[in-house]
Amino acid sequence: MSMDVYEAMSTLRAVRRLKPDPLPEHVLHRILQAAAWAPSGGNVQPWRVVVVRDPEKRRAVGDLYRPQWAKYSAGARRNLAQLSGEALAKQERMLAAADHLGEHMGDAPVILVFCFNPDHMAITDADLGRPSVVGGGSVYPAVENAMLACRTEGVGCTLTTLLCFCEDEVKTLLGIPDGWYTCAFLPIGYPQLRGHGPISRRPVEKLAFADSWGTGFVAKSDG
Ligand SMILES: Cc1cc2nc3c(=O)[nH]c(=O)nc-3n(C[C@H](O)[C@H](O)[C@H](O)COP(=O)(O)O)c2cc1C
């Protein structure tokens, strides 16, 4: 199974309505292999992933996620008042799908719980007096690789992080040892509906600057 990497990246959208059907083991292994290929600082790979397939444990993860989503979505719904037209419709569609995931995360056949160990990371922005993100750079490439592999395999997935709010309960449930923490939870499974497809993102020239901040990058002619 393979797909052009640009096609995979440009159609990797959050797929939140998943069938409960089990994933073939070889497909799951390829997804995990993709994660394992990701780069990390010093090639230390300071991450592990707990592949949650046990129905009781999935249900327990889903039960932890449900109230977290309910709380988060109440805030997101309050912000809808500022929107109108297509932007409002889009956000409402997203929230409806996310509500479904909020109710059914435990029904996904597999939940990938990514963990990290900061002792094994060179966190170069740890003492700058601002939120530190560099450590995530040794974990989230693995998460993204797993998601791109899901896309290629026709497996739906969504990156979620709300369960970090109840990390202690998750650690107890999954036997995650001291020194290890959670950073991403991916419910994965075959899509109930169309699954992956077109995405909406800012254009390159709004995100990439040429030589100094603020000048949108526009490719010159190579000739
Ligand atoms: C760091 C991060 C955390 C996220 N957390 C959640 C979450 O808790 N629940 C959820 O339904 N989606 C979550 N998402 C998915 C985003 O909402 C989604 O990627 C974004 O709205 C773009 O949607 P699209 O990929 O379908 O285009 C998260 C995504 C990221 C990158």
mmCIF file of all heavy atoms in Angstrom, residues 112-154:
data_model
loop_
_atom_site.group_PDB
_atom_site.id
_atom_site.type_symbol
_atom_site.label_atom_id
_atom_site.label_comp_id
_atom_site.label_asym_id
_atom_site.label_seq_id
_atom_site.Cartn_x
_atom_site.Cartn_y
_atom_site.Cartn_z
ATOM 1 N N LEU A 112 -4.188 4.888 19.926
ATOM 2 C CA LEU A 112 -2.730 4.975 20.109
ATOM 3 C C LEU A 112 -2.453 6.068 21.134
ATOM 4 O O LEU A 112 -2.828 7.232 20.927
ATOM 5 C CB LEU A 112 -2.036 5.310 18.789
ATOM 6 C CG LEU A 112 -2.244 4.322 17.630
ATOM 7 C CD1 LEU A 112 -1.499 4.808 16.381
ATOM 8 C CD2 LEU A 112 -1.770 2.928 18.023
ATOM 9 N N VAL A 113 -1.812 5.688 22.222
ATOM 10 C CA VAL A 113 -1.503 6.661 23.282
ATOM 11 C C VAL A 113 0.013 6.901 23.262
ATOM 12 O O VAL A 113 0.802 6.028 23.647
ATOM 13 C CB VAL A 113 -1.973 6.142 24.656
ATOM 14 C CG1 VAL A 113 -1.591 7.135 25.760
ATOM 15 C CG2 VAL A 113 -3.488 5.914 24.645
ATOM 16 N N PHE A 114 0.395 8.078 22.766
ATOM 17 C CA PHE A 114 1.824 8.412 22.666
ATOM 18 C C PHE A 114 2.307 9.017 23.982
ATOM 19 O O PHE A 114 1.675 9.907 24.549
ATOM 20 C CB PHE A 114 2.070 9.400 21.521
ATOM 21 C CG PHE A 114 2.079 8.738 20.174
ATOM 22 C CD1 PHE A 114 0.890 8.498 19.492
ATOM 23 C CD2 PHE A 114 3.265 8.327 19.578
ATOM 24 C CE1 PHE A 114 0.879 7.871 18.248
ATOM 25 C CE2 PHE A 114 3.276 7.713 18.343
ATOM 26 C CZ PHE A 114 2.084 7.476 17.675
ATOM 27 N N CYS A 115 3.445 8.502 24.439
ATOM 28 C CA CYS A 115 4.040 8.929 25.710
ATOM 29 C C CYS A 115 5.462 9.425 25.437
ATOM 30 O O CYS A 115 6.079 9.042 24.447
ATOM 31 C CB CYS A 115 4.120 7.748 26.670
ATOM 32 S SG CYS A 115 2.538 6.914 26.915
ATOM 33 N N PHE A 116 5.966 10.238 26.355
ATOM 34 C CA PHE A 116 7.337 10.738 26.190
ATOM 35 C C PHE A 116 8.031 10.783 27.544
ATOM 36 O O PHE A 116 7.381 10.819 28.595
ATOM 37 C CB PHE A 116 7.339 12.137 25.553
ATOM 38 C CG PHE A 116 6.766 13.201 26.444
ATOM 39 C CD1 PHE A 116 7.602 14.042 27.191
ATOM 40 C CD2 PHE A 116 5.394 13.359 26.571
ATOM 41 C CE1 PHE A 116 7.077 15.020 28.033
ATOM 42 C CE2 PHE A 116 4.854 14.336 27.416
ATOM 43 C CZ PHE A 116 5.688 15.161 28.139
ATOM 44 N N ASN A 117 9.362 10.788 27.477
ATOM 45 C CA ASN A 117 10.167 10.877 28.700
ATOM 46 C C ASN A 117 11.102 12.079 28.579
ATOM 47 O O ASN A 117 12.068 12.048 27.812
ATOM 48 C CB ASN A 117 10.977 9.598 28.887
ATOM 49 C CG ASN A 117 11.689 9.588 30.224
ATOM 50 O OD1 ASN A 117 12.076 10.637 30.731
ATOM 51 N ND2 ASN A 117 11.857 8.416 30.796
ATOM 52 N N PRO A 118 10.813 13.160 29.316
ATOM 53 C CA PRO A 118 11.622 14.386 29.147
ATOM 54 C C PRO A 118 13.072 14.206 29.587
ATOM 55 O O PRO A 118 13.942 14.965 29.144
ATOM 56 C CB PRO A 118 10.888 15.414 30.021
ATOM 57 C CG PRO A 118 10.011 14.641 30.940
ATOM 58 C CD PRO A 118 9.718 13.323 30.284
ATOM 59 N N ASP A 119 13.351 13.203 30.426
ATOM 60 C CA ASP A 119 14.743 12.989 30.849
ATOM 61 C C ASP A 119 15.636 12.627 29.662
ATOM 62 O O ASP A 119 16.854 12.764 29.730
ATOM 63 C CB ASP A 119 14.832 11.851 31.875
ATOM 64 C CG ASP A 119 14.144 12.220 33.174
ATOM 65 O OD1 ASP A 119 13.884 13.427 33.377
ATOM 66 O OD2 ASP A 119 13.844 11.306 33.964
ATOM 67 N N HIS A 120 15.019 12.107 28.606
ATOM 68 C CA HIS A 120 15.787 11.663 27.437
ATOM 69 C C HIS A 120 15.810 12.712 26.335
ATOM 70 O O HIS A 120 16.156 12.403 25.195
ATOM 71 C CB HIS A 120 15.190 10.352 26.883
ATOM 72 C CG HIS A 120 15.150 9.243 27.878
ATOM 73 N ND1 HIS A 120 14.351 8.123 27.736
ATOM 74 C CD2 HIS A 120 15.799 9.080 29.052
ATOM 75 C CE1 HIS A 120 14.516 7.336 28.783
ATOM 76 N NE2 HIS A 120 15.400 7.890 29.601
ATOM 77 N N MET A 121 15.406 13.933 26.687
ATOM 78 C CA MET A 121 15.311 14.967 25.652
ATOM 79 C C MET A 121 16.242 16.133 25.971
ATOM 80 O O MET A 121 16.377 16.501 27.139
ATOM 81 C CB MET A 121 13.892 15.561 25.625
ATOM 82 C CG MET A 121 12.835 14.603 25.170
ATOM 83 S SD MET A 121 11.225 15.404 25.446
ATOM 84 C CE MET A 121 10.175 14.346 24.469
ATOM 85 N N ALA A 122 16.840 16.711 24.938
ATOM 86 C CA ALA A 122 17.570 17.975 25.104
ATOM 87 C C ALA A 122 16.576 19.088 24.781
ATOM 88 O O ALA A 122 16.348 19.406 23.612
ATOM 89 C CB ALA A 122 18.762 18.022 24.160
ATOM 90 N N ILE A 123 15.975 19.649 25.833
ATOM 91 C CA ILE A 123 14.897 20.627 25.621
ATOM 92 C C ILE A 123 15.516 22.018 25.643
ATOM 93 O O ILE A 123 15.643 22.656 26.686
ATOM 94 C CB ILE A 123 13.792 20.448 26.681
ATOM 95 C CG1 ILE A 123 13.304 18.982 26.672
ATOM 96 C CG2 ILE A 123 12.629 21.405 26.395
ATOM 97 C CD1 ILE A 123 12.237 18.664 27.689
ATOM 98 N N THR A 124 15.904 22.489 24.461
ATOM 99 C CA THR A 124 16.740 23.688 24.368
ATOM 100 C C THR A 124 15.989 24.986 24.665
ATOM 101 O O THR A 124 16.620 26.042 24.768
ATOM 102 C CB THR A 124 17.375 23.772 22.969
ATOM 103 O OG1 THR A 124 16.324 23.695 21.997
ATOM 104 C CG2 THR A 124 18.353 22.638 22.729
ATOM 105 N N ASP A 125 14.677 24.908 24.785
ATOM 106 C CA ASP A 125 13.933 26.129 25.123
ATOM 107 C C ASP A 125 13.275 26.020 26.498
ATOM 108 O O ASP A 125 12.319 26.726 26.797
ATOM 109 C CB ASP A 125 12.868 26.444 24.054
ATOM 110 C CG ASP A 125 11.790 25.377 23.972
ATOM 111 O OD1 ASP A 125 11.964 24.295 24.574
ATOM 112 O OD2 ASP A 125 10.762 25.618 23.310
ATOM 113 N N ALA A 126 13.807 25.137 27.343
ATOM 114 C CA ALA A 126 13.151 24.879 28.635
ATOM 115 C C ALA A 126 13.237 26.070 29.585
ATOM 116 O O ALA A 126 12.362 26.256 30.424
ATOM 117 C CB ALA A 126 13.750 23.640 29.285
ATOM 118 N N ASP A 127 14.293 26.882 29.469
ATOM 119 C CA ASP A 127 14.519 27.926 30.476
ATOM 120 C C ASP A 127 14.376 29.334 29.905
ATOM 121 O O ASP A 127 15.037 30.272 30.364
ATOM 122 C CB ASP A 127 15.932 27.760 31.074
ATOM 123 C CG ASP A 127 16.096 26.383 31.684
ATOM 124 O OD1 ASP A 127 15.145 25.921 32.351
ATOM 125 O OD2 ASP A 127 17.156 25.755 31.471
ATOM 126 N N LEU A 128 13.552 29.491 28.925
ATOM 127 C CA LEU A 128 13.430 30.799 28.270
ATOM 128 C C LEU A 128 12.295 31.647 28.822
ATOM 129 O O LEU A 128 12.017 32.738 28.313
ATOM 130 C CB LEU A 128 13.246 30.618 26.751
ATOM 131 C CG LEU A 128 14.391 29.911 26.010
ATOM 132 C CD1 LEU A 128 14.123 29.904 24.504
ATOM 133 C CD2 LEU A 128 15.734 30.583 26.291
ATOM 134 N N GLY A 129 11.591 31.133 29.831
ATOM 135 C CA GLY A 129 10.510 31.911 30.427
ATOM 136 C C GLY A 129 9.293 32.032 29.527
ATOM 137 O O GLY A 129 8.520 32.978 29.637
ATOM 138 N N ARG A 130 9.166 31.124 28.615
ATOM 139 C CA ARG A 130 7.968 31.058 27.757
ATOM 140 C C ARG A 130 7.588 29.582 27.613
ATOM 141 O O ARG A 130 8.388 28.712 27.969
ATOM 142 C CB ARG A 130 8.264 31.675 26.392
ATOM 143 C CG ARG A 130 9.423 30.980 25.655
ATOM 144 C CD ARG A 130 9.244 31.110 24.161
ATOM 145 N NE ARG A 130 10.361 30.616 23.379
ATOM 146 C CZ ARG A 130 10.536 29.335 23.050
ATOM 147 N NH1 ARG A 130 9.718 28.394 23.487
ATOM 148 N NH2 ARG A 130 11.555 28.989 22.294
ATOM 149 N N PRO A 131 6.376 29.291 27.134
ATOM 150 C CA PRO A 131 6.027 27.875 26.989
ATOM 151 C C PRO A 131 7.052 27.151 26.121
ATOM 152 O O PRO A 131 7.471 27.653 25.074
ATOM 153 C CB PRO A 131 4.648 27.911 26.319
ATOM 154 C CG PRO A 131 4.079 29.252 26.700
ATOM 155 C CD PRO A 131 5.268 30.186 26.747
ATOM 156 N N SER A 132 7.462 25.988 26.593
ATOM 157 C CA SER A 132 8.483 25.211 25.896
ATOM 158 C C SER A 132 7.821 24.281 24.889
ATOM 159 O O SER A 132 6.852 23.597 25.219
ATOM 160 C CB SER A 132 9.245 24.400 26.950
ATOM 161 O OG SER A 132 10.060 23.443 26.339
ATOM 162 N N VAL A 133 8.333 24.261 23.650
ATOM 163 C CA VAL A 133 7.758 23.341 22.646
ATOM 164 C C VAL A 133 8.793 22.400 22.039
ATOM 165 O O VAL A 133 8.438 21.415 21.385
ATOM 166 C CB VAL A 133 7.041 24.094 21.495
ATOM 167 C CG1 VAL A 133 5.870 24.901 22.000
ATOM 168 C CG2 VAL A 133 7.991 24.966 20.712
ATOM 169 N N VAL A 134 10.072 22.664 22.260
ATOM 170 C CA VAL A 134 11.103 21.902 21.551
ATOM 171 C C VAL A 134 11.023 20.399 21.855
ATOM 172 O O VAL A 134 11.206 19.555 20.966
ATOM 173 C CB VAL A 134 12.508 22.466 21.880
ATOM 174 C CG1 VAL A 134 13.609 21.515 21.437
ATOM 175 C CG2 VAL A 134 12.698 23.826 21.209
ATOM 176 N N GLY A 135 10.723 20.064 23.098
ATOM 177 C CA GLY A 135 10.626 18.634 23.454
ATOM 178 C C GLY A 135 9.621 17.908 22.576
ATOM 179 O O GLY A 135 9.855 16.757 22.164
ATOM 180 N N GLY A 136 8.537 18.581 22.260
ATOM 181 C CA GLY A 136 7.512 17.962 21.407
ATOM 182 C C GLY A 136 8.052 17.577 20.043
ATOM 183 O O GLY A 136 7.536 16.659 19.405
ATOM 184 N N GLY A 137 9.127 18.266 19.636
ATOM 185 C CA GLY A 137 9.724 17.979 18.331
ATOM 186 C C GLY A 137 10.330 16.596 18.242
ATOM 187 O O GLY A 137 10.626 16.115 17.144
ATOM 188 N N SER A 138 10.518 15.950 19.384
ATOM 189 C CA SER A 138 11.046 14.586 19.360
ATOM 190 C C SER A 138 9.941 13.540 19.477
ATOM 191 O O SER A 138 10.230 12.343 19.556
ATOM 192 C CB SER A 138 12.075 14.390 20.484
ATOM 193 O OG SER A 138 13.281 15.051 20.151
ATOM 194 N N VAL A 139 8.705 13.989 19.522
ATOM 195 C CA VAL A 139 7.573 13.059 19.641
ATOM 196 C C VAL A 139 6.557 13.243 18.502
ATOM 197 O O VAL A 139 6.139 12.272 17.872
ATOM 198 C CB VAL A 139 6.805 13.269 20.972
ATOM 199 C CG1 VAL A 139 5.771 12.170 21.158
ATOM 200 C CG2 VAL A 139 7.740 13.333 22.143
ATOM 201 N N TYR A 140 6.199 14.509 18.228
ATOM 202 C CA TYR A 140 5.114 14.712 17.269
ATOM 203 C C TYR A 140 5.463 14.309 15.827
ATOM 204 O O TYR A 140 4.545 13.957 15.081
ATOM 205 C CB TYR A 140 4.585 16.149 17.360
ATOM 206 C CG TYR A 140 3.804 16.367 18.645
ATOM 207 C CD1 TYR A 140 4.260 17.216 19.638
ATOM 208 C CD2 TYR A 140 2.612 15.677 18.870
ATOM 209 C CE1 TYR A 140 3.549 17.391 20.823
ATOM 210 C CE2 TYR A 140 1.900 15.843 20.051
ATOM 211 C CZ TYR A 140 2.370 16.705 21.020
ATOM 212 O OH TYR A 140 1.658 16.857 22.184
ATOM 213 N N PRO A 141 6.739 14.333 15.424
ATOM 214 C CA PRO A 141 7.011 13.753 14.099
ATOM 215 C C PRO A 141 6.589 12.275 14.028
ATOM 216 O O PRO A 141 6.093 11.817 12.988
ATOM 217 C CB PRO A 141 8.530 13.917 13.942
ATOM 218 C CG PRO A 141 8.829 15.142 14.756
ATOM 219 C CD PRO A 141 7.927 15.021 15.967
ATOM 220 N N ALA A 142 6.751 11.539 15.121
ATOM 221 C CA ALA A 142 6.310 10.130 15.135
ATOM 222 C C ALA A 142 4.783 10.052 15.028
ATOM 223 O O ALA A 142 4.232 9.207 14.315
ATOM 224 C CB ALA A 142 6.797 9.444 16.413
ATOM 225 N N VAL A 143 4.116 10.970 15.731
ATOM 226 C CA VAL A 143 2.647 11.000 15.680
ATOM 227 C C VAL A 143 2.199 11.307 14.249
ATOM 228 O O VAL A 143 1.310 10.647 13.697
ATOM 229 C CB VAL A 143 2.097 12.056 16.668
ATOM 230 C CG1 VAL A 143 0.580 12.141 16.574
ATOM 231 C CG2 VAL A 143 2.528 11.734 18.107
ATOM 232 N N GLU A 144 2.840 12.301 13.640
ATOM 233 C CA GLU A 144 2.457 12.691 12.274
ATOM 234 C C GLU A 144 2.750 11.558 11.285
ATOM 235 O O GLU A 144 1.944 11.298 10.382
ATOM 236 C CB GLU A 144 3.202 13.969 11.875
ATOM 237 C CG GLU A 144 2.900 14.489 10.486
ATOM 238 C CD GLU A 144 1.483 15.065 10.317
ATOM 239 O OE1 GLU A 144 0.734 15.138 11.309
ATOM 240 O OE2 GLU A 144 1.136 15.430 9.177
ATOM 241 N N ASN A 145 3.898 10.895 11.460
ATOM 242 C CA ASN A 145 4.190 9.760 10.571
ATOM 243 C C ASN A 145 3.100 8.697 10.682
ATOM 244 O O ASN A 145 2.666 8.126 9.687
ATOM 245 C CB ASN A 145 5.543 9.134 10.936
ATOM 246 C CG ASN A 145 6.691 9.760 10.174
ATOM 247 O OD1 ASN A 145 6.538 10.800 9.553
ATOM 248 N ND2 ASN A 145 7.857 9.124 10.245
ATOM 249 N N ALA A 146 2.668 8.424 11.918
ATOM 250 C CA ALA A 146 1.605 7.424 12.114
ATOM 251 C C ALA A 146 0.328 7.890 11.400
ATOM 252 O O ALA A 146 -0.370 7.091 10.756
ATOM 253 C CB ALA A 146 1.332 7.217 13.601
ATOM 254 N N MET A 147 0.042 9.192 11.475
ATOM 255 C CA MET A 147 -1.180 9.708 10.841
ATOM 256 C C MET A 147 -1.076 9.635 9.315
ATOM 257 O O MET A 147 -2.054 9.295 8.640
ATOM 258 C CB MET A 147 -1.438 11.142 11.308
ATOM 259 C CG MET A 147 -1.807 11.194 12.780
ATOM 260 S SD MET A 147 -1.984 12.872 13.408
ATOM 261 C CE MET A 147 -3.470 13.391 12.596
ATOM 262 N N LEU A 148 0.110 9.942 8.787
ATOM 263 C CA LEU A 148 0.276 9.842 7.332
ATOM 264 C C LEU A 148 0.143 8.389 6.877
ATOM 265 O O LEU A 148 -0.428 8.110 5.811
ATOM 266 C CB LEU A 148 1.636 10.418 6.914
ATOM 267 C CG LEU A 148 1.704 11.947 6.910
ATOM 268 C CD1 LEU A 148 3.144 12.423 6.792
ATOM 269 C CD2 LEU A 148 0.857 12.532 5.767
ATOM 270 N N ALA A 149 0.646 7.478 7.693
ATOM 271 C CA ALA A 149 0.491 6.057 7.353
ATOM 272 C C ALA A 149 -0.986 5.668 7.412
ATOM 273 O O ALA A 149 -1.476 4.942 6.547
ATOM 274 C CB ALA A 149 1.324 5.193 8.295
ATOM 275 N N CYS A 150 -1.699 6.156 8.420
ATOM 276 C CA CYS A 150 -3.152 5.901 8.480
ATOM 277 C C CYS A 150 -3.801 6.365 7.187
ATOM 278 O O CYS A 150 -4.605 5.648 6.573
ATOM 279 C CB CYS A 150 -3.790 6.640 9.653
ATOM 280 S SG CYS A 150 -3.509 5.903 11.268
ATOM 281 N N ARG A 151 -3.449 7.593 6.772
ATOM 282 C CA ARG A 151 -4.037 8.157 5.549
ATOM 283 C C ARG A 151 -3.786 7.234 4.362
ATOM 284 O O ARG A 151 -4.685 6.934 3.581
ATOM 285 C CB ARG A 151 -3.430 9.552 5.285
ATOM 286 C CG ARG A 151 -3.727 10.123 3.923
ATOM 287 C CD ARG A 151 -5.216 10.377 3.759
ATOM 288 N NE ARG A 151 -5.646 10.626 2.393
ATOM 289 C CZ ARG A 151 -6.286 9.745 1.626
ATOM 290 N NH1 ARG A 151 -6.505 8.509 2.048
ATOM 291 N NH2 ARG A 151 -6.707 10.078 0.419
ATOM 292 N N THR A 152 -2.546 6.779 4.267
ATOM 293 C CA THR A 152 -2.167 5.917 3.144
ATOM 294 C C THR A 152 -2.915 4.587 3.181
ATOM 295 O O THR A 152 -3.249 4.018 2.148
ATOM 296 C CB THR A 152 -0.644 5.677 3.192
ATOM 297 O OG1 THR A 152 -0.003 6.941 3.162
ATOM 298 C CG2 THR A 152 -0.164 4.852 2.036
ATOM 299 N N GLU A 153 -3.187 4.122 4.385
ATOM 300 C CA GLU A 153 -3.870 2.827 4.549
ATOM 301 C C GLU A 153 -5.389 2.960 4.460
ATOM 302 O O GLU A 153 -6.103 1.967 4.589
ATOM 303 C CB GLU A 153 -3.522 2.217 5.915
ATOM 304 C CG GLU A 153 -2.044 1.950 6.153
ATOM 305 C CD GLU A 153 -1.521 0.735 5.373
ATOM 306 O OE1 GLU A 153 -2.340 -0.011 4.805
ATOM 307 O OE2 GLU A 153 -0.294 0.558 5.330
ATOM 308 N N GLY A 154 -5.889 4.206 4.299
ATOM 309 C CA GLY A 154 -7.347 4.400 4.299
ATOM 310 C C GLY A 154 -7.953 4.276 5.684
ATOM 311 O O GLY A 154 -9.148 4.035 5.837
#
